[in-house]
Amino acid sequence: MTDRETLEGIINKLYEARAVNNIDALMSHTGPGFSFCLVGSGKLAPMAQRVCEPAAVDTAMRGLVADWDMSQIKTTRLYVDGDTVFAHRAGLIRYRGGREIHTEYLDRFTFKDGKIIDLTEFVDTLMVAETTGLVQ
């Protein structure tokens, strides 16, 4: 098990990379078999499906970085339980069309050998669906 200080440092570096849209730096913290999931209903499909294959993860991450400016989101609290870290984040996000929304969400990271092997995001799915035009 990786110590708390190390896990918090990795999460902070990952969010720093995300704030400046540095995908390579962001992905440097992930381990083999990394998976990502945005938790949501079928209305968010295909966004709300777990991706595991490297090409699918790359496509998902590049899409998120291209579509969502998260430079003004801040971590309000980190919770560490063994090799699992929960990050509560809040602030202003901007969707590619320029629409700005105040929101908060929770990320759950699972670590193995000091690398992130899973990231599951719990977001306001109605806000995402409305912002992206999936629902009116």
Side-chain angles (χ1 to χ4, degrees):
M1 180 170 32
T2 309
D3 67 89
R4 177 186 186 98
E5 186 176 311
T6 300
L7 295 177
E8 289 178 350
I10 293 167
I11 297 300
N12 289 330
K13 287 178 187 172
L14 177 133
Y15 286 138
E16 288 170 10
R18 177 63 178 96
V20 296
N21 297 333
N22 186 336
I23 293 175
D24 292 334
L26 190 149
M27 295 305 292
S28 73
H29 301 289
T30 64
F34 171 75
S35 64
F36 170 76
C37 182
L38 177 71
V39 176
S41 70
K43 290 183 180 186
L44 287 182
M47 282 192 289
Q49 296 178 0
R50 181 163 303 281
V51 291
C52 304
E53 295 180 351
V57 169
D58 184 66
T59 298
M61 292 299 138
R62 289 185 186 284
L64 288 171
V65 166
D67 290 345
W68 298 93
D69 174 359
M70 303 191 69
S71 61
Q72 295 185 49
I73 292 282
K74 303 296 180 210
T75 302
T76 62
R77 182 84 192 254
L78 292 176
Y79 303 88
V80 179
D81 183 14
D83 281 332
T84 302
V85 177
F86 291 92
H88 178 246
R89 307 197 79 218
L92 182 74
I93 60 172
R94 185 175 301 114
Y95 187 61
R96 63 182 149 147
R99 184 164 182 207
E100 294 181 338
I101 304 110
H102 285 276
T103 192
E104 61 183 288
Y105 64 95
L106 185 72
D107 282 339
R108 182 188 69 203
F109 296 91
T110 305
F111 283 82
K112 182 177 180 183
D113 300 325
K115 292 287 190 177
I116 301 166
I117 59 168
D118 179 69
L119 167 55
T120 301
E121 286 195 333
F122 300 87
V123 299
D124 178 346
T125 55
L126 178 58
M127 179 273 301
V128 171
E130 289 175 340
T131 302
T132 61
L134 292 173
V135 298
Q136 301 299 330

